Amino acid sequence: MIAPSILSADFARLADEVAAVRGADWLHVDVMDAHFVPNLTIGLPVVEALRKVTDIPLDCHLMIDDPDTWAVRYAEAGVHNVTVHVEAAEDPVKIAKDLRAAGALAGLSVKPNTPLEPYVELLRHYDTLLVMSVEPGFGGQRFIPDVLEKVRAARRLVDSGELTVLVEIDGGINEETIERAAEAGVDCFVAGSAVYGAPDPAKTVAQLRRLAAGASGRS
């Protein structure tokens, strides 16, 4: 699965930029509040507007201080997958239950330096695991290869039946890094500048999918 990140899109032409990634599996939307991360992007009104102009399922990544209050509102707005950060959530189990009750998938994200092991039991309440392969906050950063050990650990837990999460990765994904991430066990790849910096974003989405499928070893 390929999820283009509109963080790298032209915000003045969002409807056109969304249309340019036809064939994408999800559309990744980074919500930042300038508190949890040192950047301010978009919020619920823009997400609601995006829902009106695309059939691509929205994948909202909430990099915000108070996901306990805000996460369910994105689910109620029709977002397909709502991801919160374990480092910010006060009651992540309740968040997951509220998101599912509102009709969304529940996602949990971990920063590059956050270990996976303390949160394995918590992940049983979630549908997706988002492994950050850059420090959250800004697009266009270089991929941190060390996080792939975390991906491999998650893949083993999924393959053994201990977890049922979809494994997603975000940060520095491009034609040079996607195969390594696929080999490690990623299911869904967030790509921003690699897609929106290309002459033909839709063609790049298809190419990234081919590279990931060829390297994955899984159907």
Side-chain angles (χ1 to χ4, degrees):
M1 296 173 60
I2 306 297
S5 171
I6 63 168
L7 184 63
S8 297
D10 181 348
F11 277 21
R13 302 174 51 252
L14 274 185
D16 292 338
E17 296 282 66
V18 170
V21 293
R22 60 192 179 279
D25 299 284
W26 287 357
L27 186 70
H28 191 78
V29 182
D30 287 309
V31 176
M32 306 183 193
D33 65 357
H35 295 284
F36 181 72
V37 292
N39 195 7
L40 183 65
T41 56
I42 60 178
L44 190 56
V46 175
V47 170
E48 291 170 336
L50 286 171
R51 283 278 292 122
K52 297 175 183 178
V53 299
T54 184
D55 293 329
I56 302 174
L58 299 185
D59 174 34
C60 280
H61 178 194
L62 306 186
M63 288 169 271
I64 61 176
D65 261 351
D66 189 12
D68 298 74
T69 296
W70 287 98
V72 72
R73 303 188 193 186
Y74 287 85
E76 291 167 348
V79 172
H80 179 69
N81 183 57
V82 180
T83 296
V84 301
H85 267 268
V86 71
E87 301 91 353
E90 292 289 334
D91 190 345
V93 173
K94 183 178 184 301
I95 292 176
K97 290 179 179 178
D98 288 347
L99 289 173
R100 287 172 160 182
L105 298 180
L108 193 69
S109 183
V110 290
K111 292 182 179 182
N113 292 325
T114 299
L116 183 65
E117 291 77 10
Y119 305 109
V120 170
E121 287 300 317
L122 178 59
L123 280 166
R124 300 186 194 282
H125 299 273
Y126 279 82
D127 302 293
T128 65
L129 165 66
L130 177 59
V131 176
M132 292 301 299
S133 43
V134 298
E135 285 297 327
F138 295 92
Q141 298 184 65
R142 292 179 61 87
F143 181 80
I144 301 173
D146 289 351
V147 305
L148 293 181
E149 285 303 315
K150 203 181 305 183
V151 170
R152 294 185 185 98
R155 185 81 256 155
R156 288 192 294 268
L157 290 168
V158 172
D159 289 346
S160 69
E162 293 183 57
L163 291 177
T164 57
V165 293
L166 177 148
V167 181
E168 187 174 9
I169 196 165
D170 181 5
I173 295 297
N174 53 39
E175 292 186 9
E176 286 70 48
T177 59
I178 194 168
E179 291 177 301
R180 280 184 285 167
E183 289 169 354
V186 172
D187 300 301
C188 182
F189 306 82
V190 177
S193 54
V195 170
Y196 280 110
D200 188 335
K203 184 177 179 180
T204 301
V205 167
Q207 172 65 1
L208 289 171
R209 186 182 290 114
R210 283 193 293 270
L211 290 170
S216 170
R218 291 174 288 116
S219 61

